[in-house]
Amino acid sequence: MGYVHDLWYKKGPAGRKVQTKYHGKGKRWQARWETPDGEPKTRLFEKQVDAQKHVTKMDHAVLAGDYLDPEAGKVKVGDFALKTWLPAQDIKGRTEIEYRGVLDRYLIPEWGRRQIRTIKPSEAKAWQALLASKYELTGTTPNRVARHVRSVFRLAVFDKAIRASPFEGIKAPTLTETKVYPPDVAEARQIIAAAYTALWRAMFEVCALTGLRSGELRGMRLEKFDALRMAYRVDQQLVYERGKGMYLDDLKTGAGKRVLPLNRRAVDVIAAYVAGHPPPKNGPWAGLIFAMPGGKPIGESTIDWAIKQTCRYAKTEARHLHELRHHYASVLIAGGESPSVVQQRLGHKDVLTTLRIYSHLFNEAKETTRNVLDAAWAIPSKDEKRLASVTKIT
């Protein structure tokens, strides 16, 4: 338990008070206590009663598990974001670059040199408004940027650097999802046919038939491909980490790990490509289905460039690889698959993510259902005609 120490006097012979070397210099009363980790802490006060109140407050906070280190909140926002929050996200490659970019562009220029405890709710609300007014962000970007920054302060609360986040009670920017308009089957076929190597042709078609993410597609392994059961086990992806290069890493989320059913065309495309281009048998890339000449893995920028070049050859709209993933989703939706099934096939973390991205496609599918019903019931049956004539007579 903490206690109060008199800096001006100490006990002398026969219990008499003796002046110390600090007598008359600065504040007299020193509050002493220990943090939950056993680290000694002190603070000076002019009055004994104020020092005792502070010790009581600190002891109560330690016992209640609500202790807040007065020094922790003095850390600079930029230092906490880069040295504590970013490493805690356990992200690598392109995602780490994206998160670091958010901090460098939108957080650090505004608050980087401020103590984290000094940010007020009014400033947090004003900062969110700047995302649209000053930085001119649109679509889903304001919500995504704000989500990362709000997470920085949420972690500061968990670490007991601050008692409450300045964003507490402040609504995040509205998530306005940009509608996706993926290539239809005809356009997807056109892109695949225009691919200028067997590698790109196979990869683009597999992506359109499976909806795999770029890292999942580029990290496909032969051992996870089951031609007999027509399935592929998705539990790894190819990632890039600065200073380490490319390597295969396990998927982080349970939703991302999935057994993906393959149609006959996908099985045939993969099997034919493997037969003509056997994967490496040894080394770190053993079993990698899609690789560059020499067995090296394919970088994300390489395949992005390849599909853009292919779209030019095909004379179609410029597309990104991710749009072939959207194409896969659109085919499932048009075929009547439920949102939960689409979520599972794509490896989304929850069905709300699926609905947010593809809500307009589900609505279009509903309208198609109505049109089918209208067409089927457009010509009255003989019983309906008889019923209508009876109704008129009545």
Side-chain angles (χ1 to χ4, degrees), residues 10 14 22 50 65 72 116 123 159 210-211 220 229-230 238 240 263 295 304 340:
K10 64 180 180 180
Y22 302 108
D50 293 335
I116 199 165
E123 293 178 293
D159 277 4
T210 62
M220 288 187 75
R229 293 180 175 83
M230 299 177 66
L238 188 65
Y240 171 81
N263 69 342
D304 286 346
S340 61

PDB file of all heavy atoms in Angstrom, residues 10 14 22 50 65 72 116 123 159 210-211 220 229-230 238 240 263 295 304 340:
ATOM      1  N   LYS A  10      12.960  14.383   9.145  1.00  0.00           N
ATOM      2  CA  LYS A  10      13.156  12.957   9.376  1.00  0.00           C
ATOM      3  C   LYS A  10      13.343  12.731  10.876  1.00  0.00           C
ATOM      4  O   LYS A  10      13.557  13.691  11.631  1.00  0.00           O
ATOM      5  CB  LYS A  10      14.383  12.455   8.629  1.00  0.00           C
ATOM      6  CG  LYS A  10      15.694  13.062   9.100  1.00  0.00           C
ATOM      7  CD  LYS A  10      16.868  12.510   8.292  1.00  0.00           C
ATOM      8  CE  LYS A  10      18.198  13.135   8.777  1.00  0.00           C
ATOM      9  NZ  LYS A  10      19.349  12.613   8.015  1.00  0.00           N
ATOM     10  N   ALA A  14      16.282  10.082  19.781  1.00  0.00           N
ATOM     11  CA  ALA A  14      15.177  10.152  20.742  1.00  0.00           C
ATOM     12  C   ALA A  14      13.845  10.457  20.041  1.00  0.00           C
ATOM     13  O   ALA A  14      12.914  10.969  20.658  1.00  0.00           O
ATOM     14  CB  ALA A  14      15.465  11.195  21.815  1.00  0.00           C
ATOM     15  N   TYR A  22      16.454  18.861   2.247  1.00  0.00           N
ATOM     16  CA  TYR A  22      15.423  19.405   1.360  1.00  0.00           C
ATOM     17  C   TYR A  22      14.539  20.429   2.056  1.00  0.00           C
ATOM     18  O   TYR A  22      13.611  20.958   1.456  1.00  0.00           O
ATOM     19  CB  TYR A  22      14.532  18.263   0.829  1.00  0.00           C
ATOM     20  CG  TYR A  22      15.296  17.185   0.088  1.00  0.00           C
ATOM     21  CD1 TYR A  22      15.480  15.920   0.653  1.00  0.00           C
ATOM     22  CD2 TYR A  22      15.832  17.435  -1.171  1.00  0.00           C
ATOM     23  CE1 TYR A  22      16.179  14.935  -0.020  1.00  0.00           C
ATOM     24  CE2 TYR A  22      16.540  16.456  -1.856  1.00  0.00           C
ATOM     25  CZ  TYR A  22      16.708  15.210  -1.267  1.00  0.00           C
ATOM     26  OH  TYR A  22      17.399  14.244  -1.947  1.00  0.00           O
ATOM     27  N   ASP A  50      -3.514  16.553   0.545  1.00  0.00           N
ATOM     28  CA  ASP A  50      -3.600  16.288  -0.896  1.00  0.00           C
ATOM     29  C   ASP A  50      -2.767  15.070  -1.279  1.00  0.00           C
ATOM     30  O   ASP A  50      -3.168  14.265  -2.133  1.00  0.00           O
ATOM     31  CB  ASP A  50      -3.131  17.510  -1.682  1.00  0.00           C
ATOM     32  CG  ASP A  50      -4.069  18.694  -1.534  1.00  0.00           C
ATOM     33  OD1 ASP A  50      -5.260  18.464  -1.253  1.00  0.00           O
ATOM     34  OD2 ASP A  50      -3.605  19.839  -1.692  1.00  0.00           O
ATOM     35  N   GLY A  65      -8.306  -2.667 -10.395  1.00  0.00           N
ATOM     36  CA  GLY A  65      -7.865  -2.986 -11.753  1.00  0.00           C
ATOM     37  C   GLY A  65      -8.070  -1.837 -12.716  1.00  0.00           C
ATOM     38  O   GLY A  65      -8.131  -2.036 -13.932  1.00  0.00           O
ATOM     39  N   ALA A  72       2.003   7.533 -18.643  1.00  0.00           N
ATOM     40  CA  ALA A  72       1.741   6.826 -19.899  1.00  0.00           C
ATOM     41  C   ALA A  72       1.037   7.716 -20.913  1.00  0.00           C
ATOM     42  O   ALA A  72       1.291   7.630 -22.113  1.00  0.00           O
ATOM     43  CB  ALA A  72       0.912   5.575 -19.623  1.00  0.00           C
ATOM     44  N   ILE A 116      -0.837  11.923 -26.218  1.00  0.00           N
ATOM     45  CA  ILE A 116      -2.067  11.227 -26.545  1.00  0.00           C
ATOM     46  C   ILE A 116      -3.200  11.583 -25.584  1.00  0.00           C
ATOM     47  O   ILE A 116      -4.375  11.546 -25.953  1.00  0.00           O
ATOM     48  CB  ILE A 116      -1.824   9.701 -26.578  1.00  0.00           C
ATOM     49  CG1 ILE A 116      -2.937   8.996 -27.366  1.00  0.00           C
ATOM     50  CG2 ILE A 116      -1.663   9.130 -25.182  1.00  0.00           C
ATOM     51  CD1 ILE A 116      -2.613   7.577 -27.757  1.00  0.00           C
ATOM     52  N   GLU A 123     -11.962  17.690 -30.849  1.00  0.00           N
ATOM     53  CA  GLU A 123     -10.915  17.619 -31.872  1.00  0.00           C
ATOM     54  C   GLU A 123     -11.047  16.342 -32.695  1.00  0.00           C
ATOM     55  O   GLU A 123     -10.798  16.349 -33.909  1.00  0.00           O
ATOM     56  CB  GLU A 123      -9.539  17.668 -31.209  1.00  0.00           C
ATOM     57  CG  GLU A 123      -9.223  18.991 -30.539  1.00  0.00           C
ATOM     58  CD  GLU A 123      -7.871  18.970 -29.848  1.00  0.00           C
ATOM     59  OE1 GLU A 123      -7.734  18.226 -28.859  1.00  0.00           O
ATOM     60  OE2 GLU A 123      -6.956  19.677 -30.308  1.00  0.00           O
ATOM     61  N   ASP A 159      -4.319  -0.317 -23.118  1.00  0.00           N
ATOM     62  CA  ASP A 159      -2.996  -0.268 -22.486  1.00  0.00           C
ATOM     63  C   ASP A 159      -2.960   0.659 -21.278  1.00  0.00           C
ATOM     64  O   ASP A 159      -1.903   0.837 -20.672  1.00  0.00           O
ATOM     65  CB  ASP A 159      -1.956   0.209 -23.510  1.00  0.00           C
ATOM     66  CG  ASP A 159      -1.453  -0.926 -24.386  1.00  0.00           C
ATOM     67  OD1 ASP A 159      -1.967  -2.052 -24.237  1.00  0.00           O
ATOM     68  OD2 ASP A 159      -0.552  -0.695 -25.213  1.00  0.00           O
ATOM     69  N   THR A 210     -13.160 -19.320 -58.983  1.00  0.00           N
ATOM     70  CA  THR A 210     -13.030 -19.623 -57.549  1.00  0.00           C
ATOM     71  C   THR A 210     -13.197 -18.412 -56.646  1.00  0.00           C
ATOM     72  O   THR A 210     -13.496 -18.557 -55.467  1.00  0.00           O
ATOM     73  CB  THR A 210     -11.655 -20.241 -57.244  1.00  0.00           C
ATOM     74  OG1 THR A 210     -10.634 -19.280 -57.575  1.00  0.00           O
ATOM     75  CG2 THR A 210     -11.440 -21.518 -58.035  1.00  0.00           C
ATOM     76  N   GLY A 211     -12.965 -17.220 -57.174  1.00  0.00           N
ATOM     77  CA  GLY A 211     -13.059 -16.024 -56.341  1.00  0.00           C
ATOM     78  C   GLY A 211     -11.921 -15.879 -55.354  1.00  0.00           C
ATOM     79  O   GLY A 211     -12.035 -15.146 -54.363  1.00  0.00           O
ATOM     80  N   MET A 220      -1.315 -20.812 -54.326  1.00  0.00           N
ATOM     81  CA  MET A 220      -1.937 -22.140 -54.459  1.00  0.00           C
ATOM     82  C   MET A 220      -0.878 -23.241 -54.456  1.00  0.00           C
ATOM     83  O   MET A 220       0.121 -23.149 -55.165  1.00  0.00           O
ATOM     84  CB  MET A 220      -2.778 -22.221 -55.741  1.00  0.00           C
ATOM     85  CG  MET A 220      -4.067 -21.417 -55.700  1.00  0.00           C
ATOM     86  SD  MET A 220      -5.112 -21.699 -57.158  1.00  0.00           S
ATOM     87  CE  MET A 220      -5.779 -23.326 -56.787  1.00  0.00           C
ATOM     88  N   ARG A 229     -12.154 -35.080 -55.169  1.00  0.00           N
ATOM     89  CA  ARG A 229     -13.300 -34.506 -54.453  1.00  0.00           C
ATOM     90  C   ARG A 229     -13.698 -33.137 -54.995  1.00  0.00           C
ATOM     91  O   ARG A 229     -14.624 -32.514 -54.490  1.00  0.00           O
ATOM     92  CB  ARG A 229     -12.977 -34.393 -52.958  1.00  0.00           C
ATOM     93  CG  ARG A 229     -12.828 -35.747 -52.275  1.00  0.00           C
ATOM     94  CD  ARG A 229     -12.505 -35.587 -50.800  1.00  0.00           C
ATOM     95  NE  ARG A 229     -12.471 -36.866 -50.113  1.00  0.00           N
ATOM     96  CZ  ARG A 229     -11.431 -37.693 -50.090  1.00  0.00           C
ATOM     97  NH1 ARG A 229     -10.326 -37.359 -50.751  1.00  0.00           N
ATOM     98  NH2 ARG A 229     -11.493 -38.829 -49.426  1.00  0.00           N
ATOM     99  N   MET A 230     -12.957 -32.655 -55.991  1.00  0.00           N
ATOM    100  CA  MET A 230     -13.234 -31.369 -56.630  1.00  0.00           C
ATOM    101  C   MET A 230     -13.296 -30.243 -55.583  1.00  0.00           C
ATOM    102  O   MET A 230     -14.293 -29.547 -55.429  1.00  0.00           O
ATOM    103  CB  MET A 230     -14.540 -31.435 -57.433  1.00  0.00           C
ATOM    104  CG  MET A 230     -14.507 -32.473 -58.545  1.00  0.00           C
ATOM    105  SD  MET A 230     -16.062 -32.636 -59.448  1.00  0.00           S
ATOM    106  CE  MET A 230     -16.164 -31.029 -60.235  1.00  0.00           C
ATOM    107  N   LEU A 238       0.240 -16.046 -50.303  1.00  0.00           N
ATOM    108  CA  LEU A 238       1.583 -15.542 -50.575  1.00  0.00           C
ATOM    109  C   LEU A 238       1.626 -14.079 -50.151  1.00  0.00           C
ATOM    110  O   LEU A 238       0.787 -13.276 -50.580  1.00  0.00           O
ATOM    111  CB  LEU A 238       1.889 -15.668 -52.068  1.00  0.00           C
ATOM    112  CG  LEU A 238       3.327 -15.358 -52.511  1.00  0.00           C
ATOM    113  CD1 LEU A 238       4.301 -16.367 -51.917  1.00  0.00           C
ATOM    114  CD2 LEU A 238       3.422 -15.362 -54.029  1.00  0.00           C
ATOM    115  N   TYR A 240       4.141 -10.497 -48.995  1.00  0.00           N
ATOM    116  CA  TYR A 240       5.434  -9.821 -49.141  1.00  0.00           C
ATOM    117  C   TYR A 240       5.675  -8.984 -47.894  1.00  0.00           C
ATOM    118  O   TYR A 240       4.795  -8.244 -47.445  1.00  0.00           O
ATOM    119  CB  TYR A 240       5.445  -8.918 -50.369  1.00  0.00           C
ATOM    120  CG  TYR A 240       6.684  -8.041 -50.451  1.00  0.00           C
ATOM    121  CD1 TYR A 240       7.885  -8.540 -50.948  1.00  0.00           C
ATOM    122  CD2 TYR A 240       6.648  -6.726 -49.991  1.00  0.00           C
ATOM    123  CE1 TYR A 240       9.010  -7.755 -50.998  1.00  0.00           C
ATOM    124  CE2 TYR A 240       7.779  -5.922 -50.038  1.00  0.00           C
ATOM    125  CZ  TYR A 240       8.963  -6.438 -50.538  1.00  0.00           C
ATOM    126  OH  TYR A 240      10.087  -5.653 -50.573  1.00  0.00           O
ATOM    127  N   ASN A 263     -15.802 -26.349 -59.522  1.00  0.00           N
ATOM    128  CA  ASN A 263     -16.596 -26.946 -60.599  1.00  0.00           C
ATOM    129  C   ASN A 263     -15.664 -27.722 -61.533  1.00  0.00           C
ATOM    130  O   ASN A 263     -14.437 -27.649 -61.418  1.00  0.00           O
ATOM    131  CB  ASN A 263     -17.402 -25.877 -61.345  1.00  0.00           C
ATOM    132  CG  ASN A 263     -16.515 -24.941 -62.152  1.00  0.00           C
ATOM    133  OD1 ASN A 263     -15.309 -24.850 -61.924  1.00  0.00           O
ATOM    134  ND2 ASN A 263     -17.101 -24.244 -63.106  1.00  0.00           N
ATOM    135  N   GLY A 295      10.624 -21.182 -61.244  1.00  0.00           N
ATOM    136  CA  GLY A 295       9.953 -21.574 -60.005  1.00  0.00           C
ATOM    137  C   GLY A 295       9.781 -20.482 -58.985  1.00  0.00           C
ATOM    138  O   GLY A 295       9.370 -20.751 -57.856  1.00  0.00           O
ATOM    139  N   ASP A 304      -0.900  -7.830 -61.398  1.00  0.00           N
ATOM    140  CA  ASP A 304      -1.726  -6.647 -61.653  1.00  0.00           C
ATOM    141  C   ASP A 304      -1.391  -6.053 -63.025  1.00  0.00           C
ATOM    142  O   ASP A 304      -2.286  -5.663 -63.782  1.00  0.00           O
ATOM    143  CB  ASP A 304      -1.510  -5.592 -60.566  1.00  0.00           C
ATOM    144  CG  ASP A 304      -2.173  -5.967 -59.247  1.00  0.00           C
ATOM    145  OD1 ASP A 304      -3.008  -6.892 -59.257  1.00  0.00           O
ATOM    146  OD2 ASP A 304      -1.858  -5.346 -58.223  1.00  0.00           O
ATOM    147  N   SER A 340     -25.175 -16.075 -47.058  1.00  0.00           N
ATOM    148  CA  SER A 340     -24.277 -16.829 -46.176  1.00  0.00           C
ATOM    149  C   SER A 340     -23.371 -17.763 -46.973  1.00  0.00           C
ATOM    150  O   SER A 340     -22.204 -17.954 -46.631  1.00  0.00           O
ATOM    151  CB  SER A 340     -25.086 -17.623 -45.141  1.00  0.00           C
ATOM    152  OG  SER A 340     -25.933 -18.562 -45.783  1.00  0.00           O
TER     153      SER A 340
END
